[in-house]
Amino acid sequence: MFLETIAKQSKKINELNKENKTLYEENKELRFESEEQRLLINRIEILIKNADTKKENYFITFNKIKNELDSRQTY
């Protein structure tokens, strides 16, 4: 009885490990995309901060942001 319980638990653990590995692989692309978006947001925040510091024209800043977004589009 005890050995059957251990065997069932071991089988269940193996199934859950496989499922976790599958989910991890599926989410790998989403994690990469999320990191790309965080870097893009940081870059845009830097552009805005520099524009405020230099008292840059908003049209110039918007063009810089637009260029940054165009260069980073992967979707």
Side-chain angles (χ1 to χ4, degrees):
M1 188 78 172
F2 180 70
L3 291 177
E4 289 177 16
T5 304
I6 291 176
K8 286 180 185 177
Q9 288 177 345
S10 176
K11 184 178 178 183
K12 182 102 174 165
I13 288 170
N14 285 335
E15 289 173 4
L16 291 172
N17 281 338
K18 287 179 185 176
E19 184 178 337
N20 283 341
K21 187 173 183 177
T22 302
L23 291 172
Y24 180 82
E25 291 299 321
E26 287 176 8
N27 288 328
K28 189 181 286 186
E29 185 175 323
L30 294 174
R31 286 191 306 276
F32 178 74
E33 186 176 313
S34 176
E35 182 62 26
E36 273 188 335
Q37 289 175 349
R38 252 188 306 245
L39 292 172
L40 180 61
I41 288 170
N42 289 342
R43 180 68 183 133
I44 290 173
E45 286 174 348
I46 290 169
L47 288 173
I48 291 171
K49 189 182 290 185
N50 287 342
D52 285 343
T53 303
K54 296 177 183 178
K55 306 285 189 225
E56 191 172 69
N57 185 314
Y58 285 116
F59 291 113
I60 295 171
T61 306
F62 289 143
N63 283 335
K64 287 181 180 179
I65 292 171
K66 183 179 176 220
N67 290 337
E68 187 71 28
L69 290 171
D70 288 343
S71 69
R72 300 271 182 136
Q73 281 198 356
T74 57
Y75 340 102

